[in-house]
Amino acid sequence: MAIYARLTLPSLVDADWCIYADCDILFTADPGQLLALGDDTMLCQGHLNPRDATVDRREFGWFAGNHIPIDPNRYLCSGLLLLNLGLFRTPNVERQCFDFLSRHPDAYFPDQTAINAVCHGRT
């Protein structure tokens, strides 16, 4: 259930930006510094998911099999994200993510898959 919580952050957090980090992230500097990197035109920003964990494994086969265009050079790992909550609220990205998951209950990594599919081109 916890993986779905990151999808509800626009409803839960009264702020325009949010840094989301999984519990296995070790910060060696102030994570607040990430806010300075925020791009107002992007829905979310983060680091690329390792190529061997996406392109070379079953996840991208799933995208192809479901005819969902994903650019592997912009596919984010959802473990650390800088989320533009203000922009997320405008087209109701939260609802779009849950609608996507309703249509694709077999997604390998539901939150990450939904975020990358719905935010495609704006990451």
Side-chain angles (χ1 to χ4, degrees):
M1 295 301 284
I3 63 167
Y4 299 103
R6 88 184 84 212
L7 299 177
T8 63
L9 287 170
S11 295
L12 296 174
V13 178
D14 184 23
D16 288 332
W17 287 91
C18 176
I19 300 167
Y20 174 88
D22 280 349
C23 65
D24 60 352
I25 301 291
L26 173 64
F27 290 101
T28 59
D30 178 5
Q33 294 173 345
L34 293 172
L35 293 170
L37 302 174
D39 180 338
D40 290 332
T41 66
M42 296 293 132
L43 287 165
C44 58
Q45 295 168 248
H47 64 91
L48 294 177
N49 209 45
R51 186 171 183 82
D52 67 333
T54 52
V55 177
D56 301 335
R57 292 199 185 155
R58 63 185 179 193
E59 191 171 6
F60 269 77
W62 181 90
F63 280 112
N66 284 282
H67 309 289
I68 300 168
I70 292 293
D71 180 353
N73 298 312
R74 297 188 68 84
Y75 188 80
L76 301 180
C77 174
S78 64
L80 177 62
L81 293 171
L82 178 57
L83 298 167
N84 185 342
L85 299 182
L87 199 55
F88 253 70
R89 291 182 193 106
T90 304
N92 201 350
V93 172
E94 179 180 337
R95 173 65 5 222
Q96 290 180 50
C97 285
F98 282 106
D99 289 347
F100 175 88
L101 292 173
S102 292
R103 292 188 311 275
H104 301 286
D106 61 335
Y108 284 110
F109 306 103
D111 56 330
Q112 182 168 291
T113 301
I115 288 170
N116 278 281
V118 172
C119 298
H120 181 72
R122 298 191 70 191
T123 62

